[in-house]
Amino acid sequence: MTTAADLHGPAHVERYLETDGEDGYYWRKGTTTLLLFTKGRKSGQTRTHALIFRPWGDSYLVVASKGGADQPPAWFRNLEADSDVEVQIKGDRFRARARVATAEEKPAMWAEMASVWPDYENYQTRTSREIPVVVLERVR
């Protein structure tokens, strides 16, 4: 049977949702993933993405890398338009507010994310765009 570690994109999201993350939370190279739900900035429809993450205090970090492409991923553009998002970690789905890490915060946050996915360092060399670290803060 194919596991979520073998999946990417919509197939990974679907498996994660079907199993409340039992299959999908743990992904490649020992990383963990969450689901990020954004509202399409043009369509208004909910868009869902499985993203590598790390906890950071009471918040969670994700990286808007798109593999080092010159344009940011669509989910990042969506949260620029509307920072109110939903996040699912395993079976826990909650509202959050997304923001870009400040210049002061980013070095430590980037190091944390690169420690679990070293390819982020390679992605940054592929583009002149500064790849942002996004902080997802739970709305209480």
Side-chain angles (χ1 to χ4, degrees):
M1 177 177 153
T2 302
T3 68
D6 303 315
L7 303 175
H8 187 266
H12 183 184
V13 168
E14 184 177 330
R15 183 72 58 83
Y16 197 116
L17 286 169
E18 288 172 350
T19 67
D20 275 342
E22 286 300 314
D23 190 16
Y25 174 77
Y26 294 103
W27 198 55
R28 297 176 183 163
K29 302 178 187 176
T31 60
T32 55
T33 63
L34 56 69
L35 296 182
L36 177 66
F37 301 83
T38 62
K39 184 169 33 168
R41 66 192 181 287
K42 295 177 184 174
S43 70
Q45 295 180 347
T46 300
R47 305 292 185 202
T48 311
H49 300 274
L51 302 172
I52 295 168
F53 84 100
R54 294 296 292 166
W56 188 264
D58 291 335
S59 301
Y60 304 94
L61 306 178
V62 294
V63 176
S65 64
K66 197 177 178 184
D70 288 331
Q71 295 299 315
W75 63 262
F76 181 76
R77 296 183 135 194
N78 290 343
L79 67 82
E80 283 182 310
D82 184 353
S83 63
D84 292 326
V85 299
E86 287 190 10
V87 173
Q88 183 170 329
I89 299 174
K90 294 187 176 180
D92 181 22
R93 188 165 170 170
F94 55 91
R95 291 181 36 232
R97 184 149 298 114
R99 65 176 180 83
V100 174
T102 66
E104 294 76 27
E105 295 172 311
K106 185 178 176 186
M109 292 175 168
W110 180 266
E112 176 67 13
M113 294 304 294
S115 75
V116 296
W117 194 257
D119 288 340
Y120 288 136
E121 297 287 359
N122 297 329
Y123 299 163
Q124 186 58 78
T125 66
R126 295 180 189 165
T127 182
S128 59
R129 168 177 75 88
E130 184 176 337
I131 296 175
V133 175
V134 175
V135 182
L136 302 169
E137 299 172 329
R138 186 185 288 257
V139 174
R140 305 250 178 237

